[in-house]
Amino acid sequence: MADIAFIGVGNMGGPMALNLLKDGHRVRAFDLDSQVLKPLAGEGAEIAPSAYEAAGAAEAVITMLPAGRHVRGVYMDDAGVIAAAAEAAVGEGTLLIDCSTIDVESARTVAEAAAAAGLDMVDAPVSGGVAGAGAGALTFMVGGTDRAFARAKPLLDVMGKAVVHAGPSGNGQVAKICNNMILGVSMIVVSEAFTLGRKLGLAPEKLFEISSQASGQCWSMTSYCPVPGPVPASPANRDYQAGFTAAMMLKDLKLAQAAAHSARAATPLGAKAQELYDRFCEGERGSLDFSGIIKLIEEGA
Ligand code: NAD
């Protein structure tokens, strides 16, 4: 049993913290929004009045926050997690685990600040969404030293089904944005192909039957098909209720483009995907599932 501080217990962090509680760990939670803390308090979590006090004597601190600026603030402010952990000097040093999806540069900056204070830190963004968080079935992509990874893995195993070491600090975020760029682009092209096929007289069910067994096969088609019918569990069958929202996909595509720009990597399809998701979200459809992008294609994007 570990003494864990969990900071940022919204849609993802809430169920993740709950799984740690169910596994017998002590959880001290903090969030700026008191509403999201209530269900956790009901399940036995202690509620802290600040990130600093949550981190205090914890053996591990886990964060699940919206973006890089929140992560930098929570860890690096004067009264932040790194200051609290360095002061408490617990055992081999508090282990820091950031599960948020953020820019690579922020992840590396915070990890450097942690290392300078003698603390192990990993970036461990996730794939699997709210359903995966609830079921303890997330995939974690982890950046950090071998030692930090070995310390983090037993806790990540409680919340996930797969925990992969991607290399040094920041590489978890690199894996996440590369994976989601593949996902965003492939969802658009599957939407285009099904729209084109239908306009040329090929029923979506028939195209699915053929392409799912041919070289066009991919996850966006066979596990998450953007047309209703072929994959009963896909959001297309419930009016594109998310799922993984288009706004989240846009966030990840923007992170990929910013990283591509700073690494001078050419990502022309990633750039086009960002432009299309931008247009889709402008129409106030950002809260729909990202597979709803097929509506924009059907409208003649
Ligand atoms: P969310 O908005 O539901 O939760 C974030 C929480 O952080 C909120 O409760 C907010 O009040 C809290 N917060 C913000 N600033 C804070 C601060 N300074 N101190 C304490 N708490 C603070 O978002 P979410 O859907 O849980 O997503 C969290 C992260 O997970 C994001 O980085 C997102 O990109 C990533 N992610 C989300 C999904 C998904 O399907 N929702 C999937 C994969 C990854």
Side-chain angles (χ1 to χ4, degrees), residues 20-79:
L20 291 167
L21 279 168
K22 283 186 193 152
D23 199 54
H25 297 286
R26 266 187 66 186
V27 174
R28 206 163 32 261
F30 172 67
D31 195 294
L32 293 178
D33 177 357
S34 59
Q35 288 305 314
V36 298
L37 289 163
K38 284 184 185 159
L40 282 178
E43 296 292 335
E46 205 182 301
I47 305 304
S50 68
Y52 185 87
E53 283 168 82
E59 291 158 70
V61 177
I62 303 177
T63 45
M64 193 50 161
L65 298 161
R69 67 176 192 283
H70 307 97
V71 173
R72 287 194 306 274
V74 162
Y75 281 97
M76 293 171 66
D77 279 355
D78 290 345

Side-chain angles (χ1 to χ4, degrees), residues 76-285:
M76 293 171 66
D77 279 355
D78 290 345
V81 166
I82 292 177
E87 199 170 295
V90 177
E92 53 182 330
T94 309
L95 170 66
L96 311 178
I97 303 176
D98 178 38
C99 297
S100 327
T101 301
I102 64 169
D103 57 288
V104 177
E105 203 180 317
S106 292
R108 290 185 173 150
T109 301
V110 177
E112 274 167 26
L119 301 167
D120 285 329
M121 176 161 197
V122 293
D123 50 293
V126 306
S127 164
V130 176
L138 295 168
T139 293
F140 287 93
M141 308 157 212
V142 188
T145 62
D146 289 346
R147 189 180 115 114
F149 176 76
R151 288 184 68 195
K153 189 169 182 304
L155 291 179
L156 300 179
D157 279 337
V158 174
M159 301 180 282
K161 65 171 166 47
V163 181
V164 183
H165 193 188
S169 293
N171 274 25
Q173 300 296 348
V174 174
K176 169 78 185 175
I177 57 175
C178 289
N179 179 73
N180 279 20
M181 188 171 75
I182 296 171
L183 180 62
V185 168
S186 65
M187 184 53 79
I188 291 169
V189 78
V190 169
S191 298
E192 288 182 2
F194 276 76
T195 304
L196 174 65
R198 189 175 48 75
K199 289 198 169 182
L200 293 172
L202 179 62
E205 292 75 14
K206 196 45 85 180
L207 177 58
F208 182 87
E209 185 189 339
I210 294 166
S211 265
S212 62
Q213 306 180 69
S215 47
Q217 186 276 337
C218 66
W219 188 92
S220 290
M221 184 199 310
T222 54
S223 296
Y224 217 81
C225 195
V227 295
V231 178
S234 81
N237 300 288
R238 37 172 215 274
D239 258 341
Y240 302 96
Q241 241 176 65
F244 183 58
T245 65
M248 288 274 182
M249 175 53 81
L250 177 59
K251 172 194 166 184
D252 293 355
L253 289 169
K254 284 182 173 169
L255 288 174
Q257 284 310 295
H261 186 72
S262 67
R264 293 170 177 268
T267 51
L269 289 182
K272 191 69 193 174
Q274 180 192 317
E275 187 192 315
L276 290 171
Y277 273 101
D278 224 344
R279 276 167 61 190
F280 187 61
C281 291
E282 261 171 24
E284 294 184 3
R285 294 189 282 194

